[in-house]
Amino acid sequence: INAEYMGKNKLCCNSHSREMFRPRVSHYAVTELSARITVQSQRGSVKKCFVYHQDRYAPDTRHAFGVTEFFLAGSCDYYDYYQGVVSCPTRRVRYRFLLYPTDGTTAVWLGEDGTNTSASAVGFFHLPYLTTRDLYAVPTWASSAVCYQIFPDRFCRVAQHGEKNDRRFVPWHSTPTRDNFFGGNLVGITSKLPYLHDLGINMLYLTPIFHAPTNHKYDTQDYYALDPAFGTLDDLKQLVREAHTLHIKVVLDCVFNHCGDNFFAFRDVCLNGVASKYADWFHIHSFPPDPEKCNYETFAVNIPSLPKLRTENPEVREYLLQVAEYWIREADIDGWRLDVANEVDHHFWRMFRDRVRAVKSDAIIIGEIWHEAHEWLLGDQFDGVMNYKFREAVLDFLVFEKLEAETFARRLTRLVMLYPEPALRCCLNLLGSHDTDRILSLCKNHDESTARARVLLSVVVQMFMPGIPMIYYGDELDMEGGADPLCRGAMMWERVYGETVTAASTSAAATTTTTTTTTTTTTTTTTTTTSPSPSSSPSTSPAPERPKLFEVYATFTKFRKSHPAFQTGALKVLHACNVQNLVVLARLSPDDNSEVFRLYLNCSARRQHPWDPQSHHQTVWSSETLCDATSRSDVPLRPFEARLCFNPLAGQQ
């Protein structure tokens, strides 16, 4: 459903360098009767773009074509993107472009056979038939989703089944290590659903909860059992039921690339060697598998506790596909986030999509891929990916100051043009995760005021972009933490409810506790003052004022849920200036591409005058001042101010 072509001849020449280039065209079906087409040309080379389209069996005569003008959707460092939707009333379409160069030379035709001043010489691009099965289908609920990622061991602990002080668990605000446990559980997450609802969350993503020996659970021991530390199947079902009551989807994390070395099949191979019926479930170079020699393939490089699964094996494939089906049927979860997804074969993921969607037609499928992921996002594998490329762009501009404003703006354009629009809507736009430093910690090379301002600007960009904004638990409360494992600290509920103590932790609430923890590389002794522990209900003491980021997230989640422009409208860069360090973005109406929202980002320590203020635009939110519907949009921007303006005339102009 998504095809790409490279023109065989030059389109035109750059008038300065006379350097030739080849345009790139892509298309995919939007509905059974329409297709979205994009042509990518050398930046600044084209001033007008028209597409001539018709039924594939119509006569090749000029009057038999429909003509649609494509407008400039955006520009990156090297390319301009012209984009539009063409109707296909017979479900078959062929098309070619007429391009007018900016240097005033003769217009040229672009088709599958290249470019030429004669239309008949270039041929056509083809969409042979827009079949229903090949439509790019993603869950409709994803368009308004705001995701919250939880590392279950560190989110909230509620005592279960009469337990008292469990010595396996360290005090709540101990320093996280690779192998200590805090006792967070599913009942604790359920108890905090009202808090998440207040934040505006409607999608939960939990890192793995299946039985495994580590605190992160990416070393699965049993794919069909929940880890006892997290709770029971009934606890998971209760979490999902109560979340659904609040219109919150629940997505689980699973690893199909590798398992833990306690997985039953790997244990059998270790015991029986080449005679094991599971011997070809793994990539074993010699028998018996030896963790000391690591004579088998693993996740990453020589991590013996994480043997890599052979997903091309039909038995392995069927086992894992049944796992994916089981948890949707059994617990009514709403989709999967897939760890190390880029190291599993495409055939497996195509089957995975078919099997998952057969059980739940609107289940979402998100792959963990840190690099560009176009080959996984063609509509037949994943709905979206973890958008680490977005994180990289935001951090390079607003945190590390490696990019100038104009380069950042072009980078955003490239990101939104990188994938088909339905896939873009399902990508998780993150600023941090369980695998990265927290963003506030990354800003510590700035003074505290500037650091918080830069984090806020980053969050506003995250909430303004197409896609699903993903909040890493606690970021809304200004939590800090360096690289793994420090980014996996315990949730700071005292910043929400004040001083709170659960009945289960009262007996352990000594003034000072000394805890000895052992990691894979070092042994450390940490003295920890007992901090307020997680609670299923707030204390009676006055609650502290919530951090500003909480209110920013809560405000923007309301915008995203109530305005179609935030859900399915395109992003457009209106202006960027290196001298001012100013960026102006817009979200467009999905109906007519008119500007609905405008976002000003003053990324400098100086006051700036807004670019092209419109008298009819209303400032509906600012990071610096309280606004109402009559606030003017032409007031100078304060240092590091973000300002959101609304165009009440959108669709009427």
Side-chain angles (χ1 to χ4, degrees):
I1 64 172
N2 187 309
E4 296 181 355
Y5 303 92
M6 296 296 292
K8 297 179 181 178
N9 305 312
K10 68 176 184 176
L11 165 62
C12 58
C13 293
N14 183 295
S15 58
H16 301 292
S17 67
R18 310 306 298 172
E19 184 178 302
M20 296 181 184
F21 70 94
R22 293 178 177 179
R24 177 184 178 187
V25 175
S26 64
H27 59 220
Y28 60 90
V30 177
T31 70
E32 295 173 347
L33 300 176
S34 63
R36 182 180 298 276
I37 303 173
T38 303
V39 59
Q40 174 182 316
S41 62
Q42 186 177 16
R43 186 178 168 198
S45 65
V46 174
K47 66 178 179 181
K48 288 280 189 179
C49 174
F50 295 90
V51 61
Y52 285 68
H53 50 93
Q54 64 174 182
D55 182 277
R56 293 182 64 240
Y57 297 103
D60 185 4
T61 55
R62 198 174 188 89
H63 68 273
F65 286 88
V67 182
T68 303
E69 182 175 5
F70 280 11
F71 294 96
L72 181 66
S75 303
C76 67
D77 286 331
Y78 304 107
Y79 302 108
D80 289 333
Y81 299 90
Y82 287 86
Q83 192 174 71
V85 175
V86 299
S87 62
C88 313
T90 65
R91 301 175 72 162
R92 300 177 297 264
V93 66
R94 62 181 183 179
Y95 63 92
R96 56 190 171 214
F97 296 95
L98 182 60
L99 305 174
Y100 290 83
T102 54
D103 61 7
T105 56
T106 304
V108 294
W109 292 92
L110 167 66
E112 192 173 278
D113 295 327
T115 58
N116 199 290
T117 54
S118 170
S120 61
V122 302
F124 293 95
F125 299 109
H126 294 266
L127 272 163
Y129 194 83
L130 306 187
T131 64
T132 303
R133 180 65 178 81
D134 287 339
L135 291 179
Y136 207 123
V138 298
T140 55
W141 58 263
S143 298
S144 58
V146 178
C147 180
Y148 193 88
Q149 183 193 0
I150 290 176
F151 195 82
D153 183 59
R154 311 293 161 79
F155 188 65
C156 180
R157 181 186 178 209
V158 172
Q160 303 179 77
H161 315 303
E163 70 177 47
K164 294 184 180 179
N165 180 30
D166 192 325
R167 297 297 180 183
R168 293 177 300 168
F169 303 140
V170 298
W172 190 246
H173 285 313
S174 300
T175 300
T177 69
R178 293 192 183 277
D179 58 351
N180 60 3
F181 294 83
F182 288 65
N185 52 34
L186 296 175
V187 175
I189 297 172
T190 304
S191 74
K192 299 304 182 186
L193 289 175
Y195 165 83
L196 298 173
H197 187 258
D198 287 347
L199 185 58
I201 301 304
N202 53 13
M203 174 180 172
L204 277 184
Y205 147 38
L206 310 183
T207 57
I209 59 175
F210 306 118
H211 194 194
T214 59
N215 55 35
H216 57 72
K217 311 299 179 192
Y218 284 101
D219 53 339
T220 312
Q221 176 176 325
D222 188 344
Y223 285 90
Y224 283 97
L226 298 179
D227 195 275
F230 291 154
T232 66
L233 176 58
D234 285 340
D235 293 333
L236 176 60
K237 290 181 177 180
Q238 182 69 13
L239 167 61
V240 174
R241 279 196 300 269
E242 294 196 22
H244 287 174
T245 299
L246 295 173
H247 306 289
I248 298 173
K249 304 289 186 179
V250 179
V251 173
L252 298 187
D253 195 342
C254 201
V255 194
F256 295 110
N257 174 71
H258 58 269
C259 60
D261 56 0
N262 287 317
F263 181 54
F264 79 93
F266 191 74
R267 289 202 316 270
D268 191 274
V269 177
C270 291
L271 180 65
N272 297 306
V274 70
S276 170
K277 65 178 181 178
Y278 304 110
D280 59 353
W281 279 40
F282 306 92
H283 301 259
I284 300 173
H285 304 309
S286 61
F287 290 91
D290 186 344
E292 293 294 326
K293 297 178 182 178
C294 201
N295 56 343
Y296 49 89
E297 291 188 30
T298 71
F299 165 66
V301 180
N302 296 334
I303 303 178
S305 61
L306 300 175
K308 182 174 174 63
L309 290 159
R310 190 185 290 274
T311 51
E312 63 269 29
N313 180 319
E315 292 180 355
V316 176
R317 189 165 60 236
E318 184 59 27
Y319 177 88
L320 297 175
L321 293 174
Q322 288 183 17
V323 168
E325 294 171 323
Y326 171 82
W327 289 104
I328 297 176
R329 288 195 180 104
E330 192 66 27
D332 197 25
I333 65 168
D334 301 292
W336 291 102
R337 182 268 190 188
L338 305 166
D339 194 58
V340 202
N342 54 340
E343 296 186 22
V344 177
D345 61 272
H346 293 285
H347 178 63
F348 176 84
W349 291 133
R350 291 185 182 102
M351 295 185 70
F352 182 92
R353 184 182 185 87
D354 287 344
R355 297 279 286 269
V356 164
R357 286 290 174 79
V359 180
K360 197 168 198 175
S361 60
D362 67 344
I364 198 167
I365 303 171
I366 305 291
E368 184 210 16
I369 298 179
W370 289 55
H371 51 80
E372 290 185 9
H374 189 269
E375 61 194 279
W376 288 272
L377 296 176
L378 300 178
D380 59 346
Q381 295 172 73
F382 306 152
D383 296 310
V385 294
M386 304 280 288
N387 201 352
Y388 279 99
K389 298 298 292 182
F390 165 78
R391 176 180 184 267
E392 180 183 307
V394 172
L395 295 187
D396 281 351
F397 176 52
L398 288 169
V399 177
F400 304 132
E401 300 181 272
K402 294 179 181 178
L403 302 180
E404 293 184 307
E406 294 169 26
T407 304
F408 172 68
R410 293 194 293 269
R411 185 83 66 86
L412 290 184
T413 296
R414 185 173 186 279
L415 285 173
V416 298
M417 293 295 167
L418 191 59
Y419 305 134
E421 189 268 340
L424 185 69
R425 279 191 269 127
C426 292
C427 286
L428 296 186
N429 295 332
L430 65 154
L431 297 175
S433 74
H434 64 291
D435 287 325
T436 71
D437 302 60
R438 288 185 180 269
I439 185 171
L440 186 56
S441 296
L442 292 174
C443 288
K444 287 307 179 182
N445 56 320
H446 303 284
D447 64 78
E448 183 175 355
S449 175
T450 302
R452 292 184 182 279
R454 290 182 178 275
V455 171
L456 191 149
L457 288 173
S458 301
V459 167
V460 171
V461 174
Q462 177 191 31
M463 299 300 288
F464 195 75
M465 282 286 290
I468 302 174
M470 191 199 87
I471 306 169
Y472 184 46
Y473 78 97
D475 277 358
E476 76 280 10
L477 300 180
D478 295 335
M479 279 183 61
E480 299 181 41
D484 172 20
L486 297 178
C487 58
R488 303 175 180 182
M491 181 70 165
M492 292 184 167
W493 291 112
E494 66 275 14
R495 295 185 180 179
V496 181
Y497 302 120
E499 298 289 320
T500 60
V501 179
T502 62
S505 62
T506 302
S507 61
T511 303
T512 303
T513 303
T514 301
T515 305
T516 302
T517 58
T518 305
T519 69
T520 55
T521 55
T522 59
T523 301
T524 60
T525 301
T526 307
T527 301
T528 308
T529 301
T530 302
S531 300
S533 57
S535 173
S536 59
S537 58
S539 67
T540 56
S541 59
E545 183 178 353
R546 290 178 177 176
K548 187 172 185 177
L549 278 186
F550 183 99
E551 302 304 331
V552 172
Y553 276 123
T555 297
F556 271 85
T557 57
K558 293 175 183 176
F559 284 126
R560 293 186 67 92
K561 292 176 183 179
S562 58
H563 291 279
F566 272 120
Q567 296 165 14
T568 55
L571 176 92
K572 187 170 185 177
V573 174
L574 298 179
H575 177 72
C577 177
N578 292 340
V579 175
Q580 293 179 295
N581 214 12
L582 178 69
V583 177
V584 186
L585 307 174
R587 291 299 298 269
L588 309 181
S589 166
D591 297 324
D592 60 5
N593 280 333
S594 61
E595 179 186 329
V596 179
F597 286 98
R598 177 179 293 191
L599 178 66
Y600 291 95
L601 298 167
N602 180 12
C603 307
S604 76
R606 305 181 304 276
R607 294 171 70 92
Q608 303 287 357
H609 190 75
W611 170 85
D612 187 32
Q614 299 293 309
S615 60
H616 55 274
H617 281 198
Q618 301 166 352
T619 299
V620 292
W621 178 87
S622 168
S623 59
E624 295 296 320
T625 57
L626 294 175
C627 304
D628 56 39
T630 62
S631 298
R632 294 172 56 187
S633 62
D634 60 349
V635 176
L637 295 155
R638 297 181 183 181
F640 298 108
E641 180 182 352
R643 182 182 299 172
L644 182 68
C645 299
F646 173 67
N647 176 16
L649 302 181
Q652 304 174 27
Q653 299 170 306

